[in-house]
Amino acid sequence: MSRRFGQLAQATLLGVALAGASWWLASAAFGRLVFRYQGF
Amino acid sequence: MAVEDFWRGLTEPSGPVLGLAVVVGLALAAAVPAAIDDAMLRDRPGRFATDPRDDAAFTTARMLRMDEASTAPAILVLGGSAVREALTSPEALIHEVVERGVRAEVHVVASADQTLYLSDAIFDRAPRGGGMLVLGMGAYRVAPLPHLQQAEADAPRFGVDLPRLREHLAEDGVVAKPWAVGRWASPRLSFLLPRAWHAVGRWGSGDVLEATNWWPYGSPPIAQVVFEDYAAWLRDVPESVVVDQFQAAEALVRRARDAGYDVALLRTPANPTYFPPDVAQAMGALDRRVDEWAKGHGLDWVDPGVGLDIGPRDLIDWCHLNHAEKEAAWTSALADALASRWERL
C-alpha cells in the first residue's frame, strides 16, 4: 500500500513538472507568435 | 518498512507510473486556462501583465468590468491610444467623474490601435441600462493602419472573445494565416500563453503591476522617420478603408442610440505640424470628412483641450499627449464635460 502511495506521489510530481514544462515550452514557442503584435 | 516501501514507489522508474504522470501533466496543463477565470483577469490584471504597458491585459480587465456592471445607467468612453495617452489614467478620469457627483457607472476603454471595428465590438459588452457614450474620433480613426485588421485576425489580443470584431473582419474577407494560433485557439489561451511565465514568476510575491501610459513623461519626440510608412499610407488612404471605418462608426452610433445611449464624439489633442505638409493636408481633409459625418448624424463634439494651451511640443508624435500637467488638466476638463453633459440628459 505504501508503495502505491509512493508511485502516486511520483506520478503527481512528474505530472506537475510536465505541466510546467509544457506551459514553458508553449509559452516560449507560441507566446512570441501570438504576442508579436500588441500595438501601442 | 512502510517508509522504505513509499520511497521505493516514489523513486523506482515504472512504465505505468510514467504513463499516469503524462496523463496528470497534460490534464493539469489543459486545466490552466479553465482555472483562470474572468474574475482573475478582471480583478488582477497586474498579475498577468507582461509589463505596466501591457495594454491588452489592462484593456481585458476593463472590458470584463463592464460585464460586471449593473443595469444602472453608464458613462462609456471608448477610443484609441490618443484618448489613453491624453488621460492621466482611466482610473483618474473615473475618480474625477464620480467626485463631481455623477451617479453612473463609468467605464473607460481606450486601448492601443482601437479601430472603429473594435470600438463597435467592445460596445457589445457595455451595460444595457443606457447612458452616455463618448467616442474618441478623428482622422486617425477612419484611416487605421492597413495591417491592423490582419493582426486582429491572426492573434486576438484580448482575453475575451469579441464576436462582433470577427464579424467585421469576415465581412471584409480578412482571413487569419493558417499558422496563426489565435485562429483556432480560444482568445483566453492565446492571451495566457505569452503571459504564463510573467504570472507564475509574480505569483505570491505581491508584485502586482499598475497600468501606465506608454511613454514616460519627458520622453523626446518620436522621430518622424519612424512613421514614414504610416505617412506614405496617409497620403493616399484607400477609400474602402475609410468607408469601412465610417460604416463601423455608424453601426456603433445606431446600436448605442437604440440601447438608450446618448452619443457624443471626443476630440483628442493633435499636432498637425508633425507630418510633412502634404500628409497634414490629407489628414486635414479626413478631419473635415469626420466633422461633416458628425454633423450629418447629429453628433456633438466634446473637446476638453479647448483653452488648455496644448501645443506641438506637448505631444510625442501627431496624436499622443505626453505632458503630466496637461494630461491632468485634460482629464479634469473631460470629467467636467462628462458631468455637465450627464446633468443635461
Side-chain angles (χ1 to χ4, degrees):
Chain A
M1 196 60 183
S2 297
R3 187 154 174 258
R4 281 272 177 266
F5 278 124
Q7 286 177 325
L8 203 59
Q10 185 191 150
T12 307
L13 288 173
L14 285 175
V16 169
L18 184 70
S22 309
W23 267 94
W24 183 81
L25 270 174
S27 200
F30 297 110
R32 198 164 293 179
L33 188 70
V34 296
F35 201 63
R36 73 196 186 289
Y37 177 74
Q38 290 294 305
F40 64 76
Chain B
M1 193 65 182
V3 175
E4 270 173 30
D5 278 350
F6 180 83
W7 183 249
R8 198 171 304 133
L10 183 68
T11 54
E12 263 179 12
S14 127
V17 171
L18 199 63
L20 183 63
V22 169
V23 172
V24 169
L26 292 179
L28 280 175
V32 169
I36 295 173
D37 61 2
D38 282 358
M40 290 174 93
L41 298 184
R42 182 191 67 220
D43 300 334
R44 286 174 283 180
R47 284 212 181 277
F48 296 92
T50 57
D51 64 73
R53 305 193 306 182
D54 187 350
D55 186 272
F58 294 104
T59 301
T60 293
R62 289 176 184 130
M63 284 195 255
L64 288 168
R65 272 175 219 144
M66 289 202 293
D67 293 350
E68 285 305 296
S70 64
T71 51
I75 295 177
L76 193 58
V77 179
L78 298 182
S81 57
V83 175
R84 184 194 65 201
E85 297 295 304
L87 293 169
T88 302
S89 70
E91 289 70 29
L93 176 65
I94 293 168
H95 178 75
E96 290 215 29
V97 173
V98 172
E99 222 175 31
R100 283 158 177 76
V102 172
R103 295 169 78 90
E105 302 257 2
V106 188
H107 297 279
V108 183
V109 188
S111 59
D113 287 334
Q114 192 180 115
T115 57
L116 285 157
Y117 283 171
L118 185 49
S119 300
D120 190 33
I122 292 171
F123 181 75
D124 262 355
R125 312 187 76 92
R128 291 289 129 182
M132 189 165 90
L133 166 66
V134 178
L135 178 69
M137 192 63 173
Y140 67 100
R141 296 215 74 198
V142 293
L145 279 163
H147 69 264
L148 290 184
Q149 320 276 55
Q150 189 67 50
E152 295 283 14
D154 286 351
R157 283 184 281 166
F158 307 107
V160 292
D161 193 20
L162 294 164
R164 183 131 180 106
L165 178 62
R166 281 191 274 110
E167 276 171 32
H168 276 304
L169 295 173
E171 279 163 15
D172 284 355
V174 176
V175 179
K177 293 186 184 84
W179 46 264
V181 173
R183 186 181 187 188
W184 48 268
S186 73
R188 179 60 50 84
L189 182 59
S190 52
F191 176 84
L192 288 176
L193 263 177
R195 293 176 176 85
W197 284 103
H198 297 277
V200 171
R202 227 174 275 136
W203 214 265
S205 69
D207 178 17
V208 179
L209 300 177
E210 295 287 338
T212 64
N213 280 0
W214 191 268
W215 291 281
Y217 294 125
S219 300
I222 299 172
Q224 208 254 296
V225 68
V226 173
F227 295 111
E228 221 162 47
D229 289 349
Y230 183 50
W233 159 254
L234 284 172
R235 274 190 190 99
D236 195 17
V237 182
E239 181 60 15
S240 62
V241 170
V242 178
V243 168
D244 283 345
Q245 291 302 308
F246 270 125
Q247 280 174 352
E250 245 162 57
L252 171 55
V253 170
R254 189 178 55 246
R255 289 181 336 117
R257 283 175 169 164
D258 288 350
Y261 279 84
D262 162 71
V263 186
L265 303 178
L266 176 59
R267 215 182 286 282
T268 46
N271 172 10
T273 64
Y274 184 78
F275 285 123
D278 60 331
V279 178
Q281 209 175 342
M283 287 197 90
L286 282 175
D287 268 327
R288 284 191 293 281
R289 276 181 72 176
V290 170
D291 281 341
E292 278 165 30
W293 175 84
K295 206 179 284 177
H297 289 78
L299 292 159
D300 297 336
W301 283 94
V302 171
D303 189 353
V306 172
L308 294 188
D309 191 28
I310 293 172
R313 280 165 177 241
D314 303 324
L315 280 82
I316 202 156
D317 54 22
W318 74 98
C319 69
H320 296 107
L321 186 59
N322 182 244
H323 188 290
E325 289 80 32
K326 289 183 180 172
E327 285 172 26
W330 199 86
T331 304
S332 295
L334 178 54
D336 283 339
L338 294 178
S340 66
R341 192 174 175 88
W342 184 256
E343 219 165 80
R344 292 198 306 273
L345 284 183

